[in-house]
Amino acid sequence: MTAHDYGANRSSVRVSPAQHPARTLVRRGLLVAAATVAAGALLLTALGTQAGAAGTSLKTLAEAKGVYFGTALTQSNLSNSTLTAVASSQFDMVTPGNEMKWDTTEPSNGTYNFAPGDAIVSYAQANGMRVRGHNLVWHSQLPSWVSSLPTAQVQAAMESHITTEATHYKGKVYSWDVVNEPFNDDGTLRQDAFYAAMGSGYIADALRTAHVADPNAKLYLNDYNIEGENAKSDAMYSLVASLRSQGVPIDGVGLESHFILGQVPSTMKANMQRFTALGVNVAVTELDDRILLPATAANLAQQATDYATVINDCLGVSGCVGVSQWGVGDADSWIPGFFSGYGAATMYDSNYQPKPAYNAAVTALGGAGSTSSPSASASASASPTSSPTGAAGSCRVADVVNAWNTGLTENITITNTGTSTVNGWSLGFTLASGQTVTSAWNTTISPSTGTVKATSLSYNGTLAPGAATTIGFQATHAGNTAAPASFTLNGSACSVG
Ligand code: XIL
């Protein structure tokens, strides 16, 4: 078992979801949501407004649908004010990235350290966010003293750990991932220290112990590669059915959802429905969608589709309580460190600018998408490296449009066909009527409608003779998906084609 199994595409064993009567589960807290929308609108920071216009934040839209939208945060994230401005304006649920795991909370037998987890809880409380406790029992990030114990002592150590941690956070967490990642991909239980000591019964014991410590916390089993119907999700389904029939306290199943671009399982919604038919909730707990770098415009458009699919799947299942992304932005994601060559897995780029996936998420949640252009940002990287020069009548532009019912992307390649180097450029063009830019890559675009300018960034402003660079943007449209008819580079007309 290696980290590289997360989100691995594997052949699925298709199982018909259990048929069940339509559930009448009422979505939670609409009145609370309305109050939060009002308060949240007042609290939006300049950055939050930029990331999504007031009223279109992920959390306000999610709450209006009766679900939450969360993120993982680590303690070091809390000192990044750019990050926390996005976190507090967009998300209403926090999962500590590492701070509640066993290696942090009980690094040696009987010695507890809750300060890092407490810092996350304090941040969440100060910003009106709830907390998913993550996690109590896991084979990974497990201090060696546990796996070195004689098997006869493991059960007592596990129960003490659960009781102490869940009691410490009693009343402060919405849910606990009580057992994290119990299964191998073939559906057998992982042969970890807990299984070795207690067999499969450790899972029921862990859930019962957590329930005694914090009877109000929702108790989850959480795993990866259980998003679609396959041998592993079948095993989780059988386990949950068995636990329910024995009266073991279990409230939900967490689908981690560490996806590879373009590989969201087509059976995800049906899979979630078969779990909710057992009487448990489901949640998307650690969503990311990794791209083989460098990410192209087409990759980012596919990622937007993937995010929309996952969110729509959750919204389509009445027992799906929310979606959490694993980290706020690409700069915070665990992906580059664990999957060589991959990255760009979240909705925000490394400057906390929203990517196409963000706008797709807003749209999936029923919002109109951001109307502000990333060019509203005072980002240092948005400035040309020097004053624009050259390129008089010496450019060619190729523009590829990909449109769907309400949106489009354009991928624009600019080639310097002249004989002198371009040092910083501004590409002028007029958007078709009804088109509004919602995000851009490798450029900033301003304004977001009408006649606009796309400006070079620090890394693509220099174009030697013959050199080309590709920029792109996503826009909403009202039926007219035409590409701009003409382009200018630093004020001079370019050939098109
Ligand atoms: C990851 C963290 O993001 C990393 O910082 C850490 O080094 C390893 O764990 N499944 C889980 C999460 O349940 O706890 C993992 O988090 C990602 C995979």
Side-chain angles (χ1 to χ4, degrees):
M1 178 54 51
T2 70
H4 294 262
D5 292 323
Y6 286 95
N9 196 21
R10 46 198 77 250
S11 57
S12 61
V13 179
R14 298 180 71 99
V15 175
S16 296
Q19 297 300 310
H20 60 93
R23 288 162 58 83
T24 52
L25 192 149
V26 176
R27 293 283 194 189
R28 203 183 37 248
L30 288 179
L31 287 176
V32 173
T36 313
V37 169
L42 295 174
L43 288 172
L44 277 175
T45 62
L47 189 86
T49 305
Q50 171 196 320
T56 63
S57 71
L58 298 172
K59 68 177 180 182
T60 54
L61 292 166
E63 286 164 8
K65 298 271 187 189
V67 298
Y68 61 79
F69 214 111
T71 185
L73 289 178
T74 62
Q75 193 177 14
S76 65
N77 288 161
L78 302 181
S79 52
N80 179 339
S81 58
T82 310
L83 182 159
T84 54
V86 174
S88 63
S89 61
Q90 295 291 322
F91 301 104
D92 57 6
M93 182 71 80
V94 175
T95 307
N98 289 308
E99 290 69 9
M100 292 185 182
K101 295 173 182 175
W102 199 318
D103 57 355
T104 296
T105 55
E106 194 185 4
S108 60
N109 197 345
T111 302
Y112 288 90
N113 172 26
F114 293 121
D118 291 353
I120 305 277
V121 170
S122 296
Y123 173 82
Q125 289 176 339
N127 290 283
M129 306 155 100
R130 292 183 293 166
V131 175
R132 295 194 81 258
H134 176 80
N135 54 61
L136 294 170
V137 179
W138 188 25
H139 76 96
S140 184
Q141 294 181 265
L142 183 68
S144 58
W145 70 262
V146 181
S147 34
S148 307
L149 284 175
T151 50
Q153 295 176 27
V154 172
Q155 181 170 3
M158 183 188 83
E159 292 174 356
S160 294
H161 179 79
I162 293 170
T163 299
T164 306
E165 182 161 2
T167 301
H168 179 83
Y169 289 112
K170 182 178 179 179
K172 296 178 177 171
V173 297
Y174 160 71
S175 63
W176 270 112
D177 291 333
V178 176
V179 180
N180 201 40
E181 304 183 346
F183 287 106
N184 297 310
D185 278 337
D186 66 1
T188 58
L189 282 170
R190 196 185 285 275
Q191 311 283 298
D192 61 10
F194 308 104
Y195 184 88
M198 293 167 264
S200 61
Y202 86 89
I203 295 174
D205 190 57
L207 288 161
R208 288 190 171 108
T209 306
H211 184 64
V212 169
D214 187 353
N216 293 322
K218 303 290 184 195
L219 303 185
Y220 275 68
L221 302 178
N222 188 54
D223 216 325
Y224 62 91
N225 287 351
I226 59 164
E227 295 80 17
E229 293 175 345
N230 56 39
K232 190 172 185 176
S233 64
D234 288 352
M236 180 66 93
Y237 178 84
S238 298
L239 173 63
V240 173
S242 163
L243 292 169
R244 296 282 296 174
S245 72
Q246 295 169 68
V248 176
I250 174 159
D251 301 294
V253 175
L255 315 178
E256 290 188 13
S257 304
H258 295 293
F259 292 122
I260 299 168
L261 188 73
Q263 295 185 17
V264 177
S266 59
T267 53
M268 186 164 179
K269 183 176 169 188
N271 187 46
M272 291 196 288
Q273 277 168 334
R274 68 172 172 159
F275 280 105
T276 61
L278 291 173
V280 295
N281 288 327
V282 292
V284 173
T285 53
E286 303 182 13
L287 177 61
D288 49 34
D289 194 32
R290 61 184 179 268
I291 297 174
L292 196 57
L293 298 175
T296 66
N299 292 157
L300 296 175
Q302 177 65 53
Q303 186 177 60
T305 300
D306 290 354
Y307 264 76
T309 299
V310 173
I311 292 164
N312 282 323
D313 284 350
C314 178
L315 292 176
V317 177
S318 65
C320 182
V321 293
V323 175
S324 297
Q325 176 172 270
W326 201 244
V328 172
D330 290 346
D332 318 307
S333 170
W334 71 307
I335 292 296
F338 277 77
F339 303 94
S340 179
Y342 284 86
T346 76
M347 292 180 285
Y348 287 93
D349 72 15
S350 49
N351 294 316
Y352 299 99
Q353 295 297 306
K355 294 160 59 182
Y358 172 84
N359 294 306
V362 166
T363 304
L365 291 165
S370 169
T371 52
S372 61
S373 159
S375 61
S377 143
S379 162
S381 65
S383 309
T385 48
S386 59
S387 298
T389 57
S394 307
C395 49
R396 184 174 65 246
V397 169
D399 187 356
V400 178
V401 181
N402 278 304
W404 60 97
N405 52 346
T406 58
L408 58 83
T409 60
E410 293 191 28
N411 205 4
I412 300 171
T413 300
I414 308 163
T415 305
N416 177 4
T417 55
T419 53
S420 56
T421 297
V422 174
N423 289 308
W425 47 260
S426 173
L427 187 75
F429 53 93
T430 300
L431 294 161
S433 166
Q435 293 183 6
T436 301
V437 173
T438 53
S439 63
W441 42 94
N442 299 333
T443 186
T444 56
I445 297 179
S446 182
S448 56
T449 59
T451 297
V452 306
K453 283 200 185 317
T455 307
S456 57
L457 303 181
S458 57
Y459 59 85
N460 63 3
T462 303
L463 285 179
T469 191
T470 299
I471 63 169
F473 63 87
Q474 181 165 344
T476 55
H477 68 77
N480 186 344
T481 61
S486 61
F487 296 85
T488 58
L489 195 71
N490 294 342
S492 299
C494 300
S495 61
V496 178

